[in-house]
Amino acid sequence: MGPIRIEPQKALDEALKLQQKLSAGAQTLRSLDPVTFGVTAKEAVYKDDKVTLYRFRGERAPTQKTPLLICYALVNTPYMVDLQDDRSLVKNLLAQGQDVYLIDWGYPDGSDKYLTLDDYINGYLRRCVDFLRKSHGVEAINLLGICQGGAFSLCFSAIYPEKVKNLVTMVTPVDFHTPDNMLSHWVRELDVDLFVDTLGNIPADLMNYCYLTLKPLRLNQQKYVGLVDILDNKTELENFLRMEKWIFDSPDQAGEAFRQFIKDFYQGNKLLKGGLQIGEKKVDLKNISSPVLNIFAEQDHLVPPAASRALKDAVGSPDYSQIAFKGGHIGIYVSSRAQREVPPAIHDWLAKRS
């Protein structure tokens, strides 16, 4: 008797089952339609260089007067919030009566390598907000910032507090120096000047590789071994491939914006400690006077909960709420629990402050 006990009949049964799965998978793959994401009807209402502002259309007209603008991160395409019909934050917010808009930052190329955080926050984001304020005839909008887009939204709300009625942040880093932030530990000693001066724009494939190596066994091996179990299930296989397509359909990062984000946020932790300046505008989170709802994921390996919880004592608003979601950085958008819990929580919170 050794530490590993192999029963010949069970081993044979498993080998036969694997053969059947692989055979069925070959049939399933041939029957698949092209995998897409971004399922909710939308129209482009404003364009600015490569940036597009979309308005989503639900099955019924919105009941909320104040528009809700989603500001996503630069490092992935924003369609994680509208991945598929039964996994869509956008669709569920529309069903609640919200009037939902989203900023698509586009795909930067060599001509965009000198774009700065000033261009993104005081430029593109501000002009999108001003477009909505004018088109809806309101003084301030509701802003939903996600991940890095949440950090952008915090900066914007601190610089232009009069333009934000309510602020919602999701899986947003505020304290970039928490002990459990592995990504922060990696980049804190990075020579980002040499990095950007050498590469110009930061390639998306390089960024994706860094994220995958945060959990190398789980994200590079285990999930593909587990793929065998769903090869004969067309729906599950489509879901898997849709997620894979989203992960690897990432934009390059504009070099100068990346340089400042690493230096000021990850290395300097200036969003929390102070001293952050976007263009000519100083950022002080105490200037945020609008109500704030902060939603973070308890099993987030990219933005640890402690990194988000720091917002509570950093903002100046007396109306602060937070929700701890039982899930991870991606599950907070696409899990079945997220569909049941997150959009209603956001809508109810906004409705009480309408």
Side-chain angles (χ1 to χ4, degrees), residues 161-172:
E162 73 282 359
K163 297 184 180 184
V164 179
K165 183 175 182 180
N166 297 292
L167 174 63
V168 182
T169 56
M170 288 182 67
V171 290
T172 295

Side-chain angles (χ1 to χ4, degrees), residues 42-249:
K42 63 184 184 296
E43 62 175 324
V45 295
Y46 174 78
K47 292 186 69 71
D48 190 350
D49 295 334
K50 293 181 175 67
V51 175
T52 305
L53 177 64
Y54 288 104
R55 185 182 193 181
F56 289 96
R57 298 294 186 183
E59 295 180 356
R60 61 188 179 94
T63 58
Q64 300 299 306
K65 178 182 177 182
T66 306
L68 174 62
L69 174 62
I70 298 176
C71 177
Y72 203 78
L74 300 177
V75 296
N76 289 108
T77 58
Y79 299 106
M80 178 50 61
V81 297
D82 189 35
L83 188 66
Q84 61 192 61
D85 190 59
D86 59 343
R87 301 184 185 188
S88 173
L89 175 69
V90 166
K91 180 182 177 181
N92 285 302
L93 286 170
L94 291 171
Q96 298 286 332
Q98 295 294 327
D99 195 353
V100 183
Y101 291 79
L102 177 141
I103 298 174
D104 185 337
W105 300 110
Y107 292 81
D109 57 30
S111 66
D112 302 305
K113 68 180 180 180
Y114 295 113
L115 287 177
T116 64
L117 294 185
D118 182 34
D119 293 313
Y120 280 108
I121 296 172
N122 293 319
Y124 298 130
L125 177 55
R126 178 185 59 82
R127 290 192 288 272
C128 285
V129 170
D130 287 346
F131 173 85
L132 292 180
R133 292 169 63 232
K134 182 178 180 180
S135 61
H136 283 264
V138 296
E139 291 297 319
I141 68 159
N142 294 328
L143 185 58
L144 169 55
I146 295 175
C147 192
Q148 183 191 36
F152 284 10
S153 299
L154 287 169
C155 292
F156 182 87
S157 300
I159 297 171
Y160 307 101
E162 73 282 359
K163 297 184 180 184
V164 179
K165 183 175 182 180
N166 297 292
L167 174 63
V168 182
T169 56
M170 288 182 67
V171 290
T172 295
V174 178
D175 183 355
F176 286 77
H177 285 182
T178 55
D180 54 351
N181 193 330
M182 188 182 300
L183 191 59
S184 174
H185 284 299
W186 280 5
V187 301
R188 238 179 275 179
E189 303 301 325
L190 173 70
D191 186 343
V192 68
D193 289 325
L194 178 61
F195 195 65
V196 173
D197 291 344
T198 302
L199 295 175
N201 286 346
I202 310 306
D205 288 345
L206 177 58
M207 295 290 293
N208 279 329
Y209 178 77
C210 291
Y211 295 133
L212 293 174
T213 50
L214 286 171
K215 286 187 173 183
L217 183 61
R218 171 70 184 91
L219 299 178
N220 290 297
Q221 297 179 24
Q222 185 179 348
K223 73 172 181 179
Y224 296 113
V225 173
L227 175 61
V228 173
D229 293 331
I230 62 170
L231 282 176
D232 56 352
N233 187 320
K234 182 179 179 180
T235 300
E236 289 298 321
L237 189 56
E238 285 178 341
N239 292 345
F240 179 91
L241 294 175
R242 186 176 292 109
M243 182 68 72
E244 289 292 286
K245 181 175 181 178
W246 175 80
I247 290 172
F248 294 104
D249 180 27

Side-chain angles (χ1 to χ4, degrees), residues 250-265:
S250 300
D252 293 343
Q253 299 298 291
E256 291 305 315
F258 180 87
R259 187 198 309 265
Q260 185 181 1
F261 195 74
I262 295 298
K263 280 188 171 183
D264 288 352
F265 289 76

